[in-house]
Amino acid sequence: MGDLGEAIYLTDRAEDFGPLADGLEFERYVAQLYLSARSRVGTNDYIGAINALQEVVSLSPNYQNGEVQRLLFNNYVLYADALTYGSPCAAVTQYTNALRLFSDPQVSDKRTVAENWCENGTPTPEGFVPTVDPGNPNGQTAPIGQPGS
């Protein structure tokens, strides 16, 4: 990545002396997008990372020898993982987006789980024990003005 930053800087400097060679302006633009996308990878800004990586892929699908597609795949999976318990239906969409880029049995299994939870509800977490008020083990509420209210 340091090489890309240096290349952008040198391209900017070269432009001060005249027009750039064919294709150099485009390469600089894609490199800037890529570096911007990379700055979001590894953060909880999954949507920002995904959008930025999609933009790079749309301009240069095999940029950085295909690394950009792998990063996009990984961010789809991370986003889906984050959504699974709270929004399993949205997680299914993100796992599906990832699987459109690369086939991965583990991600496919995760999507199956999310689909099940989407259709049937999220299970109670293992070890979860609902709290019970020791003074009111049946969970009943006394009428207003009565003892216990």
Side-chain angles (χ1 to χ4, degrees):
M1 284 191 303
D3 293 340
L4 285 178
E6 185 177 353
I8 292 167
Y9 172 76
L10 293 173
T11 305
D12 290 345
R13 295 281 296 139
E15 196 172 37
D16 291 341
F17 298 102
L20 297 172
D22 263 355
L24 211 49
E25 193 170 336
F26 174 77
E27 290 298 326
R28 175 180 58 187
Y29 177 66
V30 175
Q32 288 169 329
L33 289 175
Y34 175 75
L35 290 177
S36 175
R38 284 297 308 230
S39 72
R40 291 184 169 120
V41 169
T43 70
N44 63 356
D45 183 11
Y46 304 113
I47 296 171
I50 288 168
N51 289 338
L53 290 165
Q54 283 176 327
E55 192 169 358
V56 175
V57 167
S58 73
L59 294 172
S60 185
N62 291 318
Y63 196 71
Q64 295 292 303
N65 296 319
E67 179 194 1
V68 70
Q69 287 197 19
R70 179 56 64 185
L71 288 170
L72 182 57
F73 171 86
N74 290 340
N75 275 274
Y76 277 133
V77 173
L78 289 171
Y79 186 35
D81 289 348
L83 291 169
T84 297
Y85 287 103
S87 302
C89 299
V92 170
T93 301
Q94 299 309 317
Y95 286 131
T96 300
N97 289 338
L99 291 167
R100 285 185 183 134
L101 292 171
F102 298 105
S103 177
D104 184 306
Q106 289 178 326
V107 174
S108 184
D109 290 346
K110 287 180 176 188
R111 181 181 62 185
T112 300
V113 169
E115 285 173 336
N116 184 34
W117 291 358
C118 177
E119 293 169 8
N120 302 311
T122 313
T124 302
E126 187 175 321
F128 177 78
V129 178
T131 57
V132 176
D133 179 359
N136 186 9
N138 296 326
Q140 298 173 344
T141 305
I144 297 177
Q146 298 295 316
S149 62

